Short mmCIF file of all heavy atoms in Angstrom, two decimals:
data_model
loop_
_atom_site.label_atom_id
_atom_site.label_comp_id
_atom_site.label_asym_id
_atom_site.label_seq_id
_atom_site.Cartn_x
_atom_site.Cartn_y
_atom_site.Cartn_z
N LEU A 217 -8.79 32.34 30.87
CA LEU A 217 -9.56 31.37 30.08
C LEU A 217 -10.48 30.64 31.03
O LEU A 217 -10.10 30.35 32.17
CB LEU A 217 -8.59 30.38 29.41
CG LEU A 217 -9.16 29.50 28.30
CD1 LEU A 217 -9.41 30.31 27.03
CD2 LEU A 217 -8.21 28.34 27.96
N LYS A 218 -11.69 30.31 30.55
CA LYS A 218 -12.62 29.57 31.40
C LYS A 218 -12.79 28.16 30.85
O LYS A 218 -12.72 27.95 29.64
CB LYS A 218 -13.99 30.27 31.40
CG LYS A 218 -13.99 31.67 31.98
CD LYS A 218 -14.93 31.74 33.16
CE LYS A 218 -15.09 33.14 33.72
NZ LYS A 218 -13.88 33.73 34.27
N PRO A 219 -13.02 27.18 31.73
CA PRO A 219 -13.28 25.83 31.21
C PRO A 219 -14.62 25.80 30.49
O PRO A 219 -15.52 26.58 30.81
CB PRO A 219 -13.31 24.96 32.48
CG PRO A 219 -13.66 25.90 33.58
CD PRO A 219 -13.13 27.26 33.19
N VAL A 220 -14.75 24.90 29.50
CA VAL A 220 -16.06 24.78 28.84
C VAL A 220 -16.81 23.54 29.33
O VAL A 220 -17.98 23.36 29.06
CB VAL A 220 -15.94 24.77 27.29
CG1 VAL A 220 -15.41 26.09 26.79
CG2 VAL A 220 -15.07 23.64 26.79
N MET A 221 -16.07 22.67 30.04
CA MET A 221 -16.73 21.53 30.70
C MET A 221 -16.49 21.71 32.20
O MET A 221 -15.54 22.38 32.60
CB MET A 221 -16.11 20.21 30.24
CG MET A 221 -16.37 19.91 28.78
SD MET A 221 -15.90 18.24 28.36
CE MET A 221 -14.15 18.27 28.54
N HIS A 222 -17.35 21.09 32.99
CA HIS A 222 -17.25 21.32 34.43
C HIS A 222 -17.12 20.00 35.16
O HIS A 222 -17.75 19.01 34.81
CB HIS A 222 -18.47 22.13 34.90
CG HIS A 222 -18.56 23.40 34.13
ND1 HIS A 222 -17.76 24.48 34.40
CD2 HIS A 222 -19.27 23.71 33.02
CE1 HIS A 222 -17.99 25.43 33.51
NE2 HIS A 222 -18.90 24.98 32.66
N GLY A 223 -16.22 19.97 36.13
CA GLY A 223 -15.98 18.74 36.86
C GLY A 223 -14.76 18.91 37.76
O GLY A 223 -14.69 19.88 38.51
N GLY A 224 -13.82 18.00 37.63
CA GLY A 224 -12.65 17.97 38.52
C GLY A 224 -11.66 19.10 38.23
O GLY A 224 -11.89 19.98 37.40
N HIS A 225 -10.54 19.02 38.93
CA HIS A 225 -9.55 20.10 38.90
C HIS A 225 -8.41 19.82 37.92
O HIS A 225 -7.41 20.53 37.88
CB HIS A 225 -8.95 20.22 40.31
CG HIS A 225 -8.53 18.88 40.83
ND1 HIS A 225 -7.41 18.24 40.36
CD2 HIS A 225 -9.15 18.02 41.68
CE1 HIS A 225 -7.34 17.04 40.93
NE2 HIS A 225 -8.39 16.88 41.74
N GLN A 226 -8.55 18.74 37.11
CA GLN A 226 -7.45 18.35 36.23
C GLN A 226 -7.06 19.50 35.26
O GLN A 226 -7.86 20.38 34.99
CB GLN A 226 -7.83 17.11 35.38
CG GLN A 226 -8.01 15.84 36.19
CD GLN A 226 -9.43 15.63 36.67
OE1 GLN A 226 -10.25 16.53 36.61
NE2 GLN A 226 -9.71 14.44 37.15
N GLU A 227 -5.85 19.39 34.76
CA GLU A 227 -5.35 20.33 33.74
C GLU A 227 -5.55 21.79 34.19
O GLU A 227 -6.11 22.61 33.46
CB GLU A 227 -6.03 20.07 32.38
CG GLU A 227 -5.68 18.68 31.82
CD GLU A 227 -4.19 18.50 31.57
OE1 GLU A 227 -3.57 19.34 30.90
OE2 GLU A 227 -3.63 17.52 32.10
N PHE A 228 -5.06 22.06 35.40
CA PHE A 228 -5.09 23.41 35.97
C PHE A 228 -6.52 23.97 36.03
O PHE A 228 -6.74 25.18 35.93
CB PHE A 228 -4.18 24.37 35.18
CG PHE A 228 -2.81 23.81 34.91
CD1 PHE A 228 -2.42 23.46 33.63
CD2 PHE A 228 -1.89 23.62 35.94
CE1 PHE A 228 -1.16 22.93 33.37
CE2 PHE A 228 -0.63 23.08 35.70
CZ PHE A 228 -0.26 22.74 34.42
N GLY A 229 -7.49 23.05 36.16
CA GLY A 229 -8.89 23.49 36.28
C GLY A 229 -9.51 23.87 34.94
O GLY A 229 -10.65 24.32 34.89
N LEU A 230 -8.79 23.68 33.84
CA LEU A 230 -9.33 24.11 32.54
C LEU A 230 -9.94 22.97 31.73
O LEU A 230 -10.66 23.21 30.77
CB LEU A 230 -8.22 24.78 31.72
CG LEU A 230 -7.91 26.21 32.16
CD1 LEU A 230 -6.68 26.75 31.45
CD2 LEU A 230 -9.11 27.11 31.90
N ARG A 231 -9.59 21.72 32.10
CA ARG A 231 -10.14 20.60 31.33
C ARG A 231 -10.38 19.44 32.28
O ARG A 231 -9.50 18.59 32.48
CB ARG A 231 -9.15 20.23 30.22
CG ARG A 231 -9.77 19.50 29.04
CD ARG A 231 -10.01 18.05 29.36
NE ARG A 231 -10.63 17.36 28.25
CZ ARG A 231 -10.82 16.04 28.24
NH1 ARG A 231 -10.43 15.29 29.26
NH2 ARG A 231 -11.39 15.48 27.23
N PRO A 232 -11.59 19.44 32.88
CA PRO A 232 -11.86 18.40 33.86
C PRO A 232 -12.01 17.03 33.22
O PRO A 232 -12.24 16.92 32.01
CB PRO A 232 -13.19 18.85 34.46
CG PRO A 232 -13.84 19.67 33.42
CD PRO A 232 -12.72 20.35 32.68
N GLY A 233 -11.88 16.00 34.03
CA GLY A 233 -11.99 14.61 33.53
C GLY A 233 -10.67 13.91 33.72
O GLY A 233 -9.61 14.51 33.52
N THR A 234 -10.73 12.63 34.10
CA THR A 234 -9.49 11.87 34.26
C THR A 234 -8.75 11.86 32.94
O THR A 234 -9.33 11.62 31.88
CB THR A 234 -9.80 10.45 34.76
OG1 THR A 234 -10.50 10.57 36.00
CG2 THR A 234 -8.53 9.64 34.96
N GLU A 235 -7.48 12.14 33.00
CA GLU A 235 -6.67 12.31 31.81
C GLU A 235 -6.56 11.04 30.97
O GLU A 235 -6.56 9.93 31.51
CB GLU A 235 -5.25 12.77 32.19
CG GLU A 235 -5.17 14.08 32.94
CD GLU A 235 -5.35 13.93 34.46
OE1 GLU A 235 -5.89 12.91 34.92
OE2 GLU A 235 -4.96 14.86 35.17
N ASN A 236 -6.42 11.21 29.66
CA ASN A 236 -6.07 10.12 28.76
C ASN A 236 -4.57 9.90 28.93
O ASN A 236 -3.75 10.38 28.15
CB ASN A 236 -6.42 10.49 27.32
CG ASN A 236 -5.94 9.46 26.31
OD1 ASN A 236 -5.40 8.41 26.68
ND2 ASN A 236 -6.13 9.74 25.04
#
Side-chain angles (χ1 to χ4, degrees):
L217 193 73
K218 297 239 185 297
V220 295
M221 293 191 294
H222 304 283
H225 49 74
Q226 293 91 347
E227 296 299 308
F228 312 110
L230 283 172
R231 203 282 179 173
T234 301
E235 300 86 341
N236 173 4

